[in-house]
PDB file of all heavy atoms in Angstrom:
ATOM      1  N   HIS A   4      -7.387   1.769  -0.879  1.00 97.00           N
ATOM      2  CA  HIS A   4      -6.098   2.390  -0.663  1.00 97.00           C
ATOM      3  C   HIS A   4      -4.970   1.507  -1.297  1.00 97.00           C
ATOM      4  O   HIS A   4      -3.984   2.066  -1.749  1.00 97.00           O
ATOM      5  CB  HIS A   4      -5.870   2.775   0.779  1.00 97.00           C
ATOM      6  CG  HIS A   4      -6.763   3.924   1.225  1.00 97.00           C
ATOM      7  ND1 HIS A   4      -7.981   3.752   1.672  1.00 97.00           N
ATOM      8  CD2 HIS A   4      -6.506   5.214   1.117  1.00 97.00           C
ATOM      9  CE1 HIS A   4      -8.493   4.939   1.919  1.00 97.00           C
ATOM     10  NE2 HIS A   4      -7.629   5.891   1.609  1.00 97.00           N
ATOM     11  N   LEU A   5      -5.152   0.223  -1.191  1.00 98.00           N
ATOM     12  CA  LEU A   5      -4.189  -0.657  -1.827  1.00 98.00           C
ATOM     13  C   LEU A   5      -4.141  -0.443  -3.337  1.00 98.00           C
ATOM     14  O   LEU A   5      -3.046  -0.280  -3.910  1.00 98.00           O
ATOM     15  CB  LEU A   5      -4.464  -2.143  -1.529  1.00 98.00           C
ATOM     16  CG  LEU A   5      -3.606  -3.166  -2.245  1.00 98.00           C
ATOM     17  CD1 LEU A   5      -2.131  -2.987  -1.871  1.00 98.00           C
ATOM     18  CD2 LEU A   5      -4.102  -4.579  -1.907  1.00 98.00           C
ATOM     19  N   GLU A   6      -5.279  -0.335  -3.942  1.00 98.00           N
ATOM     20  CA  GLU A   6      -5.353  -0.046  -5.380  1.00 98.00           C
ATOM     21  C   GLU A   6      -4.729   1.276  -5.722  1.00 98.00           C
ATOM     22  O   GLU A   6      -3.980   1.418  -6.726  1.00 98.00           O
ATOM     23  CB  GLU A   6      -6.785  -0.113  -5.813  1.00 98.00           C
ATOM     24  CG  GLU A   6      -7.020   0.038  -7.284  1.00 98.00           C
ATOM     25  CD  GLU A   6      -8.472  -0.123  -7.715  1.00 98.00           C
ATOM     26  OE1 GLU A   6      -9.132  -1.066  -7.270  1.00 98.00           O
ATOM     27  OE2 GLU A   6      -8.919   0.796  -8.415  1.00 98.00           O
ATOM     28  N   GLN A   7      -4.978   2.293  -4.886  1.00 98.00           N
ATOM     29  CA  GLN A   7      -4.382   3.617  -5.127  1.00 98.00           C
ATOM     30  C   GLN A   7      -2.859   3.549  -5.012  1.00 98.00           C
ATOM     31  O   GLN A   7      -2.159   4.133  -5.838  1.00 98.00           O
ATOM     32  CB  GLN A   7      -4.988   4.573  -4.104  1.00 98.00           C
ATOM     33  CG  GLN A   7      -4.487   6.011  -4.208  1.00 98.00           C
ATOM     34  CD  GLN A   7      -5.057   6.925  -3.173  1.00 98.00           C
ATOM     35  OE1 GLN A   7      -5.994   6.575  -2.391  1.00 98.00           O
ATOM     36  NE2 GLN A   7      -4.582   8.133  -3.129  1.00 98.00           N
ATOM     37  N   LEU A   8      -2.330   2.860  -4.020  1.00 98.00           N
ATOM     38  CA  LEU A   8      -0.866   2.684  -3.830  1.00 98.00           C
ATOM     39  C   LEU A   8      -0.255   1.953  -4.977  1.00 98.00           C
ATOM     40  O   LEU A   8       0.793   2.354  -5.540  1.00 98.00           O
ATOM     41  CB  LEU A   8      -0.568   2.048  -2.502  1.00 98.00           C
ATOM     42  CG  LEU A   8       0.952   1.808  -2.243  1.00 98.00           C
ATOM     43  CD1 LEU A   8       1.737   3.129  -2.277  1.00 98.00           C
ATOM     44  CD2 LEU A   8       1.162   1.126  -0.879  1.00 98.00           C
ATOM     45  N   GLN A   9      -0.850   0.850  -5.397  1.00 98.00           N
ATOM     46  CA  GLN A   9      -0.319   0.088  -6.505  1.00 98.00           C
ATOM     47  C   GLN A   9      -0.279   0.905  -7.780  1.00 98.00           C
ATOM     48  O   GLN A   9       0.678   0.869  -8.544  1.00 98.00           O
ATOM     49  CB  GLN A   9      -1.123  -1.211  -6.696  1.00 98.00           C
ATOM     50  CG  GLN A   9      -0.884  -2.190  -5.547  1.00 98.00           C
ATOM     51  CD  GLN A   9      -1.846  -3.384  -5.576  1.00 98.00           C
ATOM     52  OE1 GLN A   9      -3.015  -3.272  -6.002  1.00 98.00           O
ATOM     53  NE2 GLN A   9      -1.313  -4.517  -5.142  1.00 98.00           N
ATOM     54  N   ALA A  10      -1.341   1.651  -8.046  1.00 97.00           N
ATOM     55  CA  ALA A  10      -1.393   2.526  -9.290  1.00 97.00           C
ATOM     56  C   ALA A  10      -0.290   3.618  -9.174  1.00 97.00           C
ATOM     57  O   ALA A  10       0.360   3.864 -10.183  1.00 97.00           O
ATOM     58  CB  ALA A  10      -2.765   3.124  -9.461  1.00 97.00           C
ATOM     59  N   ALA A  11      -0.128   4.169  -8.057  1.00 97.00           N
ATOM     60  CA  ALA A  11       0.871   5.239  -7.845  1.00 97.00           C
ATOM     61  C   ALA A  11       2.305   4.681  -8.002  1.00 97.00           C
ATOM     62  O   ALA A  11       3.143   5.332  -8.620  1.00 97.00           O
ATOM     63  CB  ALA A  11       0.701   5.894  -6.499  1.00 97.00           C
ATOM     64  N   MET A  12       2.534   3.478  -7.493  1.00 97.00           N
ATOM     65  CA  MET A  12       3.855   2.871  -7.634  1.00 97.00           C
ATOM     66  C   MET A  12       4.117   2.562  -9.118  1.00 97.00           C
ATOM     67  O   MET A  12       5.210   2.841  -9.585  1.00 97.00           O
ATOM     68  CB  MET A  12       3.899   1.568  -6.862  1.00 97.00           C
ATOM     69  CG  MET A  12       4.021   1.770  -5.324  1.00 97.00           C
ATOM     70  SD  MET A  12       3.954   0.161  -4.449  1.00 97.00           S
ATOM     71  CE  MET A  12       5.517  -0.614  -5.020  1.00 97.00           C
ATOM     72  N   GLN A  13       3.095   2.063  -9.835  1.00 97.00           N
ATOM     73  CA  GLN A  13       3.284   1.813 -11.246  1.00 97.00           C
ATOM     74  C   GLN A  13       3.605   3.138 -12.018  1.00 97.00           C
ATOM     75  O   GLN A  13       4.452   3.172 -12.851  1.00 97.00           O
ATOM     76  CB  GLN A  13       2.027   1.127 -11.783  1.00 97.00           C
ATOM     77  CG  GLN A  13       2.151   0.742 -13.255  1.00 97.00           C
ATOM     78  CD  GLN A  13       0.996  -0.088 -13.759  1.00 97.00           C
ATOM     79  OE1 GLN A  13      -0.040  -0.185 -13.093  1.00 97.00           O
ATOM     80  NE2 GLN A  13       1.114  -0.604 -14.936  1.00 97.00           N
ATOM     81  N   ARG A  14       2.841   4.138 -11.696  1.00 96.00           N
ATOM     82  CA  ARG A  14       3.031   5.491 -12.334  1.00 96.00           C
ATOM     83  C   ARG A  14       4.440   5.944 -12.130  1.00 96.00           C
ATOM     84  O   ARG A  14       5.073   6.557 -13.045  1.00 96.00           O
ATOM     85  CB  ARG A  14       2.034   6.440 -11.709  1.00 96.00           C
ATOM     86  CG  ARG A  14       2.143   7.887 -12.241  1.00 96.00           C
ATOM     87  CD  ARG A  14       1.189   8.841 -11.553  1.00 96.00           C
ATOM     88  NE  ARG A  14       1.739   9.113 -10.206  1.00 96.00           N
ATOM     89  CZ  ARG A  14       1.018   9.055  -9.081  1.00 96.00           C
ATOM     90  NH1 ARG A  14      -0.271   8.758  -9.105  1.00 96.00           N
ATOM     91  NH2 ARG A  14       1.573   9.325  -7.923  1.00 96.00           N
ATOM     92  N   GLU A  15       5.069   5.671 -10.950  1.00 96.00           N
ATOM     93  CA  GLU A  15       6.395   6.157 -10.638  1.00 96.00           C
ATOM     94  C   GLU A  15       7.485   5.139 -11.005  1.00 96.00           C
ATOM     95  O   GLU A  15       8.672   5.319 -10.720  1.00 96.00           O
ATOM     96  CB  GLU A  15       6.510   6.509  -9.110  1.00 96.00           C
ATOM     97  CG  GLU A  15       5.558   7.594  -8.706  1.00 96.00           C
ATOM     98  CD  GLU A  15       5.778   8.902  -9.416  1.00 96.00           C
ATOM     99  OE1 GLU A  15       6.877   9.176  -9.886  1.00 96.00           O
ATOM    100  OE2 GLU A  15       4.791   9.703  -9.525  1.00 96.00           O
ATOM    101  N   GLY A  16       7.090   4.016 -11.590  1.00 96.00           N
ATOM    102  CA  GLY A  16       8.065   3.001 -12.052  1.00 96.00           C
ATOM    103  C   GLY A  16       8.669   2.140 -10.949  1.00 96.00           C
ATOM    104  O   GLY A  16       9.785   1.658 -11.064  1.00 96.00           O
ATOM    105  N   LEU A  17       7.948   2.010  -9.856  1.00 97.00           N
ATOM    106  CA  LEU A  17       8.428   1.193  -8.691  1.00 97.00           C
ATOM    107  C   LEU A  17       7.847  -0.184  -8.791  1.00 97.00           C
ATOM    108  O   LEU A  17       6.650  -0.366  -8.985  1.00 97.00           O
ATOM    109  CB  LEU A  17       8.053   1.867  -7.391  1.00 97.00           C
ATOM    110  CG  LEU A  17       8.630   3.260  -7.176  1.00 97.00           C
ATOM    111  CD1 LEU A  17       8.096   3.858  -5.883  1.00 97.00           C
ATOM    112  CD2 LEU A  17      10.182   3.215  -7.093  1.00 97.00           C
ATOM    113  N   SER A  18       8.653  -1.165  -8.520  1.00 96.00           N
ATOM    114  CA  SER A  18       8.209  -2.586  -8.503  1.00 96.00           C
ATOM    115  C   SER A  18       8.061  -3.134  -7.108  1.00 96.00           C
ATOM    116  O   SER A  18       8.927  -2.918  -6.276  1.00 96.00           O
ATOM    117  CB  SER A  18       9.223  -3.461  -9.300  1.00 96.00           C
ATOM    118  OG  SER A  18       9.371  -3.027 -10.652  1.00 96.00           O
ATOM    119  N   ALA A  19       6.970  -3.848  -6.906  1.00 96.00           N
ATOM    120  CA  ALA A  19       6.638  -4.432  -5.617  1.00 96.00           C
ATOM    121  C   ALA A  19       7.454  -5.747  -5.380  1.00 96.00           C
ATOM    122  O   ALA A  19       7.786  -6.427  -6.315  1.00 96.00           O
ATOM    123  CB  ALA A  19       5.216  -4.684  -5.477  1.00 96.00           C
ATOM    124  N   LYS A  20       7.745  -5.963  -4.107  1.00 94.00           N
ATOM    125  CA  LYS A  20       8.420  -7.170  -3.694  1.00 94.00           C
ATOM    126  C   LYS A  20       7.630  -7.735  -2.481  1.00 94.00           C
ATOM    127  O   LYS A  20       7.587  -7.138  -1.439  1.00 94.00           O
ATOM    128  CB  LYS A  20       9.858  -6.851  -3.259  1.00 94.00           C
ATOM    129  CG  LYS A  20      10.635  -7.989  -2.740  1.00 94.00           C
ATOM    130  CD  LYS A  20      12.016  -7.463  -2.320  1.00 94.00           C
ATOM    131  CE  LYS A  20      12.833  -8.593  -1.712  1.00 94.00           C
ATOM    132  NZ  LYS A  20      14.184  -8.088  -1.276  1.00 94.00           N
ATOM    133  N   GLY A  21       6.947  -8.842  -2.664  1.00 91.00           N
ATOM    134  CA  GLY A  21       6.208  -9.467  -1.567  1.00 91.00           C
ATOM    135  C   GLY A  21       4.779  -8.929  -1.496  1.00 91.00           C
ATOM    136  O   GLY A  21       4.304  -8.159  -2.309  1.00 91.00           O
ATOM    137  N   GLU A  22       4.146  -9.356  -0.443  1.00 94.00           N
ATOM    138  CA  GLU A  22       2.722  -9.021  -0.161  1.00 94.00           C
ATOM    139  C   GLU A  22       2.550  -7.660   0.554  1.00 94.00           C
ATOM    140  O   GLU A  22       3.484  -7.274   1.305  1.00 94.00           O
ATOM    141  CB  GLU A  22       2.114 -10.112   0.730  1.00 94.00           C
ATOM    142  CG  GLU A  22       2.080 -11.495   0.113  1.00 94.00           C
ATOM    143  CD  GLU A  22       0.988 -11.654  -0.901  1.00 94.00           C
ATOM    144  OE1 GLU A  22       0.119 -10.810  -1.032  1.00 94.00           O
ATOM    145  OE2 GLU A  22       1.062 -12.641  -1.646  1.00 94.00           O
ATOM    146  N   PRO A  23       1.483  -6.988   0.328  1.00 97.00           N
ATOM    147  CA  PRO A  23       1.185  -5.699   1.032  1.00 97.00           C
ATOM    148  C   PRO A  23       1.017  -5.971   2.519  1.00 97.00           C
ATOM    149  O   PRO A  23       0.524  -7.038   3.010  1.00 97.00           O
ATOM    150  CB  PRO A  23      -0.125  -5.226   0.491  1.00 97.00           C
ATOM    151  CG  PRO A  23      -0.418  -6.076  -0.729  1.00 97.00           C
ATOM    152  CD  PRO A  23       0.383  -7.303  -0.609  1.00 97.00           C
ATOM    153  N   VAL A  24       1.496  -5.018   3.327  1.00 97.00           N
ATOM    154  CA  VAL A  24       1.401  -5.069   4.809  1.00 97.00           C
ATOM    155  C   VAL A  24       0.414  -4.036   5.261  1.00 97.00           C
ATOM    156  O   VAL A  24       0.532  -2.853   4.860  1.00 97.00           O
ATOM    157  CB  VAL A  24       2.797  -4.817   5.420  1.00 97.00           C
ATOM    158  CG1 VAL A  24       2.679  -4.807   6.936  1.00 97.00           C
ATOM    159  CG2 VAL A  24       3.760  -5.878   4.968  1.00 97.00           C
ATOM    160  N   TRP A  25      -0.535  -4.432   6.036  1.00 96.00           N
ATOM    161  CA  TRP A  25      -1.537  -3.504   6.620  1.00 96.00           C
ATOM    162  C   TRP A  25      -1.092  -3.093   7.989  1.00 96.00           C
ATOM    163  O   TRP A  25      -0.903  -3.918   8.843  1.00 96.00           O
ATOM    164  CB  TRP A  25      -2.895  -4.200   6.694  1.00 96.00           C
ATOM    165  CG  TRP A  25      -4.069  -3.296   6.879  1.00 96.00           C
ATOM    166  CD1 TRP A  25      -4.106  -1.959   6.963  1.00 96.00           C
ATOM    167  CD2 TRP A  25      -5.440  -3.714   7.041  1.00 96.00           C
ATOM    168  NE1 TRP A  25      -5.381  -1.485   7.143  1.00 96.00           N
ATOM    169  CE2 TRP A  25      -6.238  -2.570   7.182  1.00 96.00           C
ATOM    170  CE3 TRP A  25      -6.066  -4.969   7.035  1.00 96.00           C
ATOM    171  CZ2 TRP A  25      -7.574  -2.645   7.388  1.00 96.00           C
ATOM    172  CZ3 TRP A  25      -7.434  -5.010   7.211  1.00 96.00           C
ATOM    173  CH2 TRP A  25      -8.216  -3.862   7.375  1.00 96.00           C
ATOM    174  N   ALA A  26      -0.829  -1.795   8.184  1.00 97.00           N
ATOM    175  CA  ALA A  26      -0.359  -1.278   9.465  1.00 97.00           C
ATOM    176  C   ALA A  26      -1.453  -0.446  10.126  1.00 97.00           C
ATOM    177  O   ALA A  26      -1.909   0.537   9.556  1.00 97.00           O
ATOM    178  CB  ALA A  26       0.913  -0.464   9.233  1.00 97.00           C
ATOM    179  N   ARG A  27      -1.786  -0.806  11.318  1.00 96.00           N
ATOM    180  CA  ARG A  27      -2.836  -0.077  12.085  1.00 96.00           C
ATOM    181  C   ARG A  27      -2.184   0.456  13.333  1.00 96.00           C
ATOM    182  O   ARG A  27      -1.607  -0.310  14.116  1.00 96.00           O
ATOM    183  CB  ARG A  27      -3.999  -0.965  12.331  1.00 96.00           C
ATOM    184  CG  ARG A  27      -4.694  -1.298  10.995  1.00 96.00           C
ATOM    185  CD  ARG A  27      -5.774  -2.337  11.184  1.00 96.00           C
ATOM    186  NE  ARG A  27      -5.157  -3.678  11.169  1.00 96.00           N
ATOM    187  CZ  ARG A  27      -5.838  -4.789  11.223  1.00 96.00           C
ATOM    188  NH1 ARG A  27      -7.144  -4.800  11.263  1.00 96.00           N
ATOM    189  NH2 ARG A  27      -5.224  -5.957  11.169  1.00 96.00           N
ATOM    190  N   TYR A  28      -2.339   1.730  13.559  1.00 95.00           N
ATOM    191  CA  TYR A  28      -1.645   2.425  14.687  1.00 95.00           C
ATOM    192  C   TYR A  28      -2.487   2.649  15.933  1.00 95.00           C
ATOM    193  O   TYR A  28      -1.952   2.985  16.956  1.00 95.00           O
ATOM    194  CB  TYR A  28      -1.123   3.797  14.201  1.00 95.00           C
ATOM    195  CG  TYR A  28       0.028   3.683  13.247  1.00 95.00           C
ATOM    196  CD1 TYR A  28      -0.141   3.399  11.934  1.00 95.00           C
ATOM    197  CD2 TYR A  28       1.317   3.907  13.768  1.00 95.00           C
ATOM    198  CE1 TYR A  28       0.947   3.298  11.079  1.00 95.00           C
ATOM    199  CE2 TYR A  28       2.390   3.814  12.906  1.00 95.00           C
ATOM    200  CZ  TYR A  28       2.209   3.525  11.594  1.00 95.00           C
ATOM    201  OH  TYR A  28       3.317   3.377  10.765  1.00 95.00           O
ATOM    202  N   ASP A  29      -3.776   2.490  15.846  1.00 93.00           N
ATOM    203  CA  ASP A  29      -4.623   2.944  16.980  1.00 93.00           C
ATOM    204  C   ASP A  29      -5.434   1.781  17.542  1.00 93.00           C
ATOM    205  O   ASP A  29      -5.732   0.786  16.863  1.00 93.00           O
ATOM    206  CB  ASP A  29      -5.585   4.005  16.524  1.00 93.00           C
ATOM    207  CG  ASP A  29      -4.860   5.226  15.957  1.00 93.00           C
ATOM    208  OD1 ASP A  29      -4.031   5.765  16.694  1.00 93.00           O
ATOM    209  OD2 ASP A  29      -4.997   5.525  14.765  1.00 93.00           O
ATOM    210  N   PRO A  30      -5.829   1.892  18.814  1.00 89.00           N
ATOM    211  CA  PRO A  30      -6.717   0.905  19.429  1.00 89.00           C
ATOM    212  C   PRO A  30      -8.109   0.936  18.851  1.00 89.00           C
ATOM    213  O   PRO A  30      -8.515   1.936  18.324  1.00 89.00           O
ATOM    214  CB  PRO A  30      -6.680   1.272  20.937  1.00 89.00           C
ATOM    215  CG  PRO A  30      -6.381   2.726  20.967  1.00 89.00           C
ATOM    216  CD  PRO A  30      -5.511   2.981  19.736  1.00 89.00           C
ATOM    217  N   PRO A  31      -8.866  -0.157  19.001  1.00 86.00           N
ATOM    218  CA  PRO A  31     -10.211  -0.219  18.402  1.00 86.00           C
ATOM    219  C   PRO A  31     -11.231   0.790  19.020  1.00 86.00           C
ATOM    220  O   PRO A  31     -12.151   1.124  18.387  1.00 86.00           O
ATOM    221  CB  PRO A  31     -10.657  -1.669  18.660  1.00 86.00           C
ATOM    222  CG  PRO A  31      -9.696  -2.250  19.553  1.00 86.00           C
ATOM    223  CD  PRO A  31      -8.462  -1.384  19.596  1.00 86.00           C
TER     224      PRO A  31
END
């Protein structure tokens, strides 16, 4: 999913700032 997001950002001309953040919403 990180690779998918990075490719989509590049496709849309968006530049990243900093490290990716992994957000998890649910208990294990």
Side-chain angles (χ1 to χ4, degrees):
H4 289 89
L5 175 59
E6 186 176 309
Q7 184 180 352
L8 178 57
Q9 289 170 327
M12 287 175 65
Q13 184 175 9
R14 179 185 73 228
E15 299 300 334
L17 299 173
S18 298
K20 177 181 175 182
E22 297 284 347
V24 176
W25 194 3
R27 293 173 277 185
Y28 286 81
D29 302 301

